[in-house]
Amino acid sequence: MKSGSSSSPEQFDGEALSALAFGLSDHEVARKKTRRALRLNTVDIPLLRLIGCTLLCFGVFIHNRLILQRFELSQWSAVTLFVEIYAMLAWVVLRSLYASVTRVDLGVLFLVLDVFVWTALLYFSGGEKSWLFFVLLIRVSDQTDTSFRRALGFAVLSSGSYATMLGLILAFSPSEISLRGGIAKLIFLVGGNLYISLTARTAERRRHNTATAIRTARDLISQLQDRSAELSDARRKAEEASTAKSEFLANMSHELRTPLNGIIGMIQLASTSAVNREQQRYLETMRSSARSLMGVLNQTLDLSKIEAGMMALEPVQFSLRALIDEIFRSLSLVAEEQKIELASVIERDVDDDLIGDPLRLKQVLINLVSNAIKFTPAGHVLLMIRTISRSEGRIDVRLTIADTGIGIPKLKQTSIFEPFVQADGSTTRRYGGTGLGLSISSQIVELMGGTISVESGEEGGSRFSVDLSFPLAEKSGFRKPSFAGIRLAVAVPGIQGTVIEETALGWSMKVDRHASEFSLLDAVESEGNFHLVVLDSRFTADAFVTGRKITRLAPLRRALIVLLPASAPQHAYASWMEAGASSILYRPVSEASLAEAIARGLAFDDGLEPVRLVRNVVPGSPSMHVLLAEDNTVNQEIAVAFLVRNGHRVTLAANGEECVSAFQPGRFDAVLMDLQMPELDGFEATARIREIESGSDMRVRIIAITAHALSGDRQRCLDAGMDDYLTKPLDERALIEKLRELAPQGESSHPLETSQLMANLHGDRELASRAAKIFASQTPRLLLELQRGTAAKDSALVVRYAHTLKGSLCNFTESGPTLIAAEIEQAGANGDFDRVAALSQELDREINLLLIQLADLLPPSVA
């Protein structure tokens, strides 16, 4: 029979708390509270009063009929009518006057009147004998959600009303009252009302605490909103600063790389000119310093790109073994200078054609291998690659770099991957370095979805392991060479010999390892059934003498493969070839070069000269006509020198306008385009060239060259219509390799004129085949004699053998190598031996290309 409760300024109702929690203003809270109070007092409570009074009258009927067993219908009907009229009248008054009457709270007034009405009903239900006395507790309990003071006030009111009723009965009808029972009920009523009032006090405190907590939360939210606004502003400023930083890095990169390009390029050019030993030492020191400065610049830029989240991977298909070979070629001289043995072992089940970012993988491995070399005073550095697991279309590999160096203390093994940290502060001074390499490497590995870890023992030596997962290319795997049954004698000391032995055993070869000259010569002489001998120049005090003995023992039954250091002079190479070596390899030996040398050596058993000398170098590219767009005069000179001495023709444009003016479809094989140029930059010049080409079916290959090295630059170039991207300072090998990659397969500026040869021989293909065989067998000897004449600066020898080569070549082509041989002849006659040396290298490449084109005319053993 709860009749509801009115609101007051003191109460903390749920809606007010919700409003407070949602951060409404005080005015909005007051307005919502007023609307709620109006509905509560004019609709909800009057309806509950009517229902409550009706139920209470029904309770009086039941009570009088069943408990008192005396019931007067007329009296009960009159009282019920009075109570119902009161309830309806209260509803009408509240509905009509509540909003307009402000001096008195009509809702509270009628709640007070309810107490007296209910007391009257108690009187008519038997007074102190009535069992309905507890209904007066209801009005007090209705106030528990308002305030303690109000609940206590109604407790006093209801108890006082009941006491007044007892007093009136005692005064007017003392014989009808049981004073002891009435007092007991009054005490129970007072106690119950006080208890309910106390619960109201507890509820009030909780509401107060809740309101306080909500106010505190609202204040905190307000503070958080303020902090959020400050953070948003700080973030905006940080993004602006990051953009400014990126622009600064791009400009700094360009400004630093441009002069460094000049310094490094000029050093490279000066190193190939006639200088004495002291000057060569100066140049090497300058080159080392410049490259160190470039390394610091690159590491700083990489770290900035990683911090700015601008480093992105560019997955392409690449050859894992070719990448390792390239890395080792670039580091072989450094390892040799420190007398460190460098070797790699790639397990046979590791696929070769993978999908990933080879440039970033190369950066990580160069960092780790060069670090291992730097911190290894003596011993070896070994790169091992094995398969961890494989699934459909993917392979997980572990690349481990193990060294015999100074080791890393256990406490430092976790911190070495942090920027600017090295294992020991003293190592920075002793070995140099910024401490950025490992940090950058670990972040690149993480970007590639892999992990990097380190192990190091107390007695020295470290093992860095990189676990990476790669998608497999469509045609992946590694084709194993077929050398089953071939017997190989290995006379190579150290870990390089072990690697060659294990590699050959993996190819199903029979391998005998020899540790002394006596053992090797005795085995070769007595057994006589070796097909091949691999001899390291470090094997004995005079390995050359040992090699001569081997070739003299059985020159036609076995081939000699010689290993030389990467810095071996040209005359050492020529001397070994003259001594009868079938192939020359440079340490560290790659699988591909070893397989090629073995195949050449097996062909050597037929008594034929090898078609091509095996060297660990990038194959030459066809001669190309290149349009160079570059505004910096130093960069012009360096790029032109790189291109010309690698057999390419160059047309120079000093800016974008000149480049577009010089361009004609079909005239050039490639365009090297600087990005920042006056009048017309590289992007606009490229767009105009593509417009010129739109009317033809030709498309020239455009390579961007720029000092910018930030993430996204390459993609910008590709989006602008360029085909590839090179950063300054230009690296000669990278430039020539890029031109070779972009040259269409089989395309050459001097195609083989087989029709001319067949016409000269009246279509006799057998005779043409014999002529090609003679040319293939004699040309290496003629080239060797030409090199000897150049080294001795003997004009007569140079002219003689250049003329002989020209006479042989003109049977096959009237351009390309024939013209180069003619130029060599003329330069030799003039005594220009620097020119002869440069042209001889170009001639060697052109003859190799010619021999490839002659393959269909050569017997299999020669081709």
Side-chain angles (χ1 to χ4, degrees):
M1 291 191 296
K2 182 178 180 180
S3 61
S5 61
S6 179
S7 63
S8 73
E10 297 175 331
Q11 80 180 83
F12 297 94
D13 58 84
E15 189 170 349
L17 293 177
S18 300
L20 184 62
F22 283 102
L24 300 177
S25 66
D26 293 339
H27 176 68
E28 291 172 327
V29 171
R31 188 172 58 184
K32 290 174 68 68
K33 195 171 182 179
T34 300
R35 286 201 303 268
R36 180 179 179 277
L38 179 63
R39 175 175 178 80
L40 182 67
N41 286 283
T42 60
V43 177
D44 297 338
I45 293 177
L47 178 60
L48 290 173
R49 178 180 288 110
L50 179 62
I51 295 172
C53 288
T54 302
L55 292 175
L56 190 57
C57 289
F58 182 72
V60 171
F61 170 77
I62 298 298
H63 179 271
N64 290 355
R65 191 71 178 263
L66 299 179
I67 297 176
L68 294 183
Q69 295 184 351
R70 56 185 175 87
F71 176 74
E72 295 180 12
L73 180 62
S74 59
Q75 184 186 38
W76 178 82
S77 298
V79 171
T80 300
L81 180 62
F82 168 76
V83 169
E84 295 296 334
I85 290 173
Y86 159 75
M88 293 298 298
L89 183 63
W91 195 340
V92 172
V93 171
L94 287 169
R95 189 67 179 262
S96 305
L97 302 177
Y98 184 82
S100 59
V101 176
T102 57
R103 297 186 65 181
V104 178
D105 190 338
L106 293 180
V108 176
L109 177 62
F110 277 102
L111 290 176
V112 171
L113 291 177
D114 288 347
V115 174
F116 297 110
V117 171
W118 292 358
T119 305
L121 286 172
L122 290 179
Y123 176 78
F124 287 110
S125 64
E128 87 287 354
K129 298 181 181 63
S130 175
W131 286 20
L132 299 178
F133 70 94
F134 61 86
V135 297
L136 293 176
L137 296 172
I138 294 174
R139 176 54 65 228
V140 180
S141 64
D142 285 346
Q143 310 308 314
T144 54
D145 61 346
T146 57
S147 67
F148 169 69
R149 291 176 61 186
R150 181 159 155 175
L152 185 60
F154 274 93
V156 172
L157 178 65
S158 62
S159 300
S161 176
Y162 188 80
T164 301
M165 180 195 71
L166 292 179
L168 290 174
I169 295 174
L170 184 61
F172 294 102
S173 305
S175 61
E176 297 182 7
I177 187 171
S178 175
L179 187 59
R180 185 177 296 180
I183 293 174
K185 291 179 180 178
L186 178 61
I187 293 172
F188 176 82
L189 189 62
V190 170
N193 284 334
L194 287 176
Y195 173 77
I196 294 173
S197 299
L198 291 174
T199 61
R201 183 177 185 82
T202 302
E204 182 180 20
R205 285 177 178 174
R206 288 181 178 177
R207 287 194 298 273
H208 177 76
N209 292 338
T210 302
T212 303
I214 291 176
R215 286 195 184 93
T216 303
R218 187 170 65 173
D219 292 341
L220 289 174
I221 291 172
S222 177
Q223 293 176 19
L224 286 174
Q225 289 173 340
D226 293 340
R227 294 293 181 273
S228 178
E230 292 174 2
L231 287 174
S232 297
D233 186 55
R235 179 180 179 182
R236 179 183 55 80
K237 291 179 179 179
E239 289 173 349
E240 292 174 356
S242 178
T243 303
K245 176 184 174 183
S246 299
E247 293 175 356
F248 169 75
L249 286 173
N251 293 328
M252 183 186 73
S253 170
H254 185 275
E255 295 302 321
L256 290 178
R257 286 173 181 269
T258 298
L260 274 175
N261 180 43
I263 294 170
I264 295 175
M266 286 301 179
I267 291 172
Q268 285 183 280
L269 294 175
S271 298
T272 60
S273 61
V275 294
N276 59 38
R277 183 172 298 177
E278 189 71 11
Q279 291 170 331
Q280 187 68 35
R281 187 169 64 84
Y282 295 157
L283 289 172
E284 287 299 326
T285 303
M286 292 166 60
R287 178 187 297 170
S288 175
S289 299
R291 291 196 179 278
S292 296
L293 180 58
M294 180 60 68
V296 173
L297 173 62
N298 289 336
Q299 288 182 337
T300 304
L301 290 173
D302 281 342
L303 186 64
S304 299
K305 285 190 283 187
I306 291 172
E307 288 179 347
M310 298 172 63
M311 180 173 283
L313 300 177
E314 298 179 4
V316 296
Q317 181 174 337
F318 71 97
S319 166
L320 178 63
R321 286 169 174 80
L323 181 69
I324 301 303
D325 292 347
E326 183 181 348
I327 291 170
F328 274 42
R329 282 199 305 270
S330 67
L331 297 174
S332 57
L333 286 175
V334 180
E336 188 179 314
E337 287 174 1
Q338 288 194 212
K339 308 224 179 309
I340 302 299
E341 201 163 5
L342 195 59
S344 65
V345 177
I346 305 177
E347 291 189 359
R348 190 60 41 195
D349 65 341
V350 176
D351 295 80
D352 192 51
D353 298 313
L354 308 176
I355 304 294
D357 191 329
L359 293 179
R360 292 302 173 192
L361 178 59
K362 179 181 177 182
Q363 182 179 357
V364 170
L365 292 179
I366 284 180
N367 267 331
L368 295 176
V369 176
S370 59
N371 264 2
I373 294 172
K374 181 168 66 172
F375 294 106
T376 302
H380 67 263
V381 173
L382 178 63
L383 170 62
M384 298 170 286
I385 304 179
R386 67 178 182 87
T387 302
I388 301 175
S389 64
R390 99 180 31 248
S391 57
E392 186 176 355
R394 295 193 74 86
I395 183 172
D396 298 336
V397 298
R398 174 166 294 169
L399 303 96
T400 303
I401 297 91
D403 63 60
T404 56
I406 60 175
I408 304 169
K410 214 158 214 176
L411 294 176
K412 292 287 186 178
Q413 290 180 16
T414 55
S415 61
I416 57 173
F417 295 109
E418 298 175 6
F420 310 105
V421 173
Q422 288 194 343
D424 186 350
S426 61
T427 62
T428 305
R429 295 187 295 272
R430 180 180 175 186
Y431 294 99
T434 60
L436 290 175
L438 287 179
S439 172
I440 293 170
S441 297
S442 66
Q443 293 184 70
I444 292 176
V445 169
E446 184 178 348
L447 190 64
M448 297 171 75
T451 59
I452 185 171
S453 59
V454 61
E455 299 175 14
S456 187
E458 296 293 334
E459 298 178 357
S462 301
R463 292 169 63 93
F464 283 86
S465 297
V466 178
D467 292 351
L468 292 171
S469 179
F470 295 100
L472 296 173
E474 290 185 5
K475 295 181 179 179
S476 61
F478 179 69
R479 190 167 59 186
K480 178 180 176 180
S482 179
F483 295 137
I486 301 301
R487 192 166 183 184
L488 179 70
V490 178
V492 180
I495 195 170
Q496 185 72 79
T498 304
V499 170
I500 292 175
E501 181 181 6
E502 293 298 323
T503 302
L505 288 173
W507 293 338
S508 302
M509 300 179 74
K510 298 177 181 178
V511 183
D512 289 310
R513 185 89 179 268
H514 295 277
S516 68
E517 178 184 6
F518 174 79
S519 169
L520 174 65
L521 292 175
D522 182 64
V524 172
E525 185 173 11
S526 61
E527 299 179 23
N529 58 351
F530 288 103
H531 297 92
L532 298 150
V533 177
V534 180
L535 177 66
D536 195 302
S537 62
R538 304 168 298 172
F539 182 64
T540 65
D542 196 340
F544 184 76
V545 173
T546 304
R548 290 292 294 266
K549 288 179 180 179
I550 292 171
T551 56
R552 286 173 181 172
L553 284 171
L556 298 182
R557 286 187 292 115
R558 65 185 57 82
L560 177 64
I561 302 170
V562 179
L563 270 59
L564 294 179
S567 60
Q570 182 67 27
H571 65 79
Y573 180 90
S575 298
W576 277 105
M577 294 306 299
E578 187 178 359
S582 60
S583 298
I584 304 294
L585 299 179
Y586 291 85
R587 298 189 299 265
V589 177
S590 68
E591 286 189 36
S593 62
L594 180 61
E596 184 180 2
I598 291 173
R600 299 277 180 186
L602 294 176
F604 196 73
D605 282 341
D606 295 330
L608 298 174
E609 292 285 340
V611 175
R612 175 173 166 267
L613 305 181
V614 181
R615 303 192 65 169
N616 297 26
V617 296
V618 177
S621 61
S623 178
M624 301 174 71
H625 189 184
V626 179
L627 174 59
L628 173 64
E630 172 63 68
D631 63 307
N632 186 285
T633 54
V634 176
N635 293 340
Q636 288 175 0
E637 185 172 351
I638 292 169
V640 169
F642 285 169
L643 292 168
V644 169
R645 75 184 188 184
N646 282 277
H648 301 294
R649 291 184 295 138
V650 185
T651 296
L652 183 63
N655 55 57
E657 287 286 359
E658 290 186 14
C659 176
V660 174
S661 300
F663 179 77
Q664 294 176 3
R667 180 184 177 190
F668 300 100
D669 299 300
V671 178
L672 296 180
M673 184 74 73
D674 188 21
L675 295 187
Q676 290 190 345
M677 293 183 292
E679 298 186 29
L680 198 68
D681 65 25
F683 295 107
E684 294 173 343
T686 298
R688 293 196 187 180
I689 288 175
R690 295 306 183 208
E691 287 179 7
I692 295 172
E693 289 178 327
S694 60
S696 68
D697 57 354
M698 298 182 178
R699 188 180 189 278
V700 72
R701 292 145 188 87
I702 301 178
I703 304 172
I705 50 173
T706 176
H708 285 191
L710 293 178
S711 175
D713 287 340
R714 183 176 188 277
Q715 191 59 46
R716 284 181 60 210
C717 295
L718 296 178
D719 293 342
M722 302 180 192
D723 297 277
D724 220 317
Y725 172 91
L726 285 172
T727 57
K728 296 177 183 177
L730 282 178
D731 179 80
E732 183 176 7
R733 178 183 291 272
L735 172 62
I736 301 307
E737 173 68 14
K738 192 66 67 179
L739 290 174
R740 184 188 68 80
E741 290 174 359
L742 291 180
Q745 294 297 319
E747 181 178 306
S748 173
S749 59
H750 49 84
L752 175 64
E753 298 173 13
T754 53
S755 59
Q756 174 188 331
L757 175 62
M758 297 302 289
N760 292 341
L761 300 178
H762 304 287
D764 190 337
R765 185 172 182 83
E766 183 179 351
L767 181 57
S769 179
R770 288 202 300 271
K773 180 179 178 180
I774 294 170
F775 174 78
S777 62
Q778 290 183 349
T779 300
R781 181 180 60 80
L782 295 174
L783 286 172
L784 184 60
E785 294 296 336
L786 180 61
Q787 291 173 0
R788 291 176 60 187
T790 304
K793 296 189 177 180
D794 189 328
S795 294
L797 281 178
V798 170
V799 171
R800 174 186 170 187
Y801 288 106
H803 182 77
T804 303
L805 283 167
K806 181 181 70 174
S808 297
L809 287 165
C810 69
N811 292 304
F812 302 94
T813 176
E814 294 180 352
S815 60
T818 304
L819 297 179
I820 295 172
E823 288 186 54
I824 293 174
E825 183 181 4
Q826 183 63 43
N830 295 334
D832 187 355
F833 294 102
D834 289 340
R835 177 67 174 161
V836 170
L839 288 172
S840 295
Q841 293 180 2
E842 183 179 352
L843 179 62
D844 183 61
R845 283 190 296 271
E846 297 293 339
I847 288 176
N848 285 333
L849 291 172
L850 182 58
L851 288 171
I852 292 172
Q853 297 177 62
L854 283 172
D856 61 335
L857 296 176
L858 293 172
S861 60
V862 178

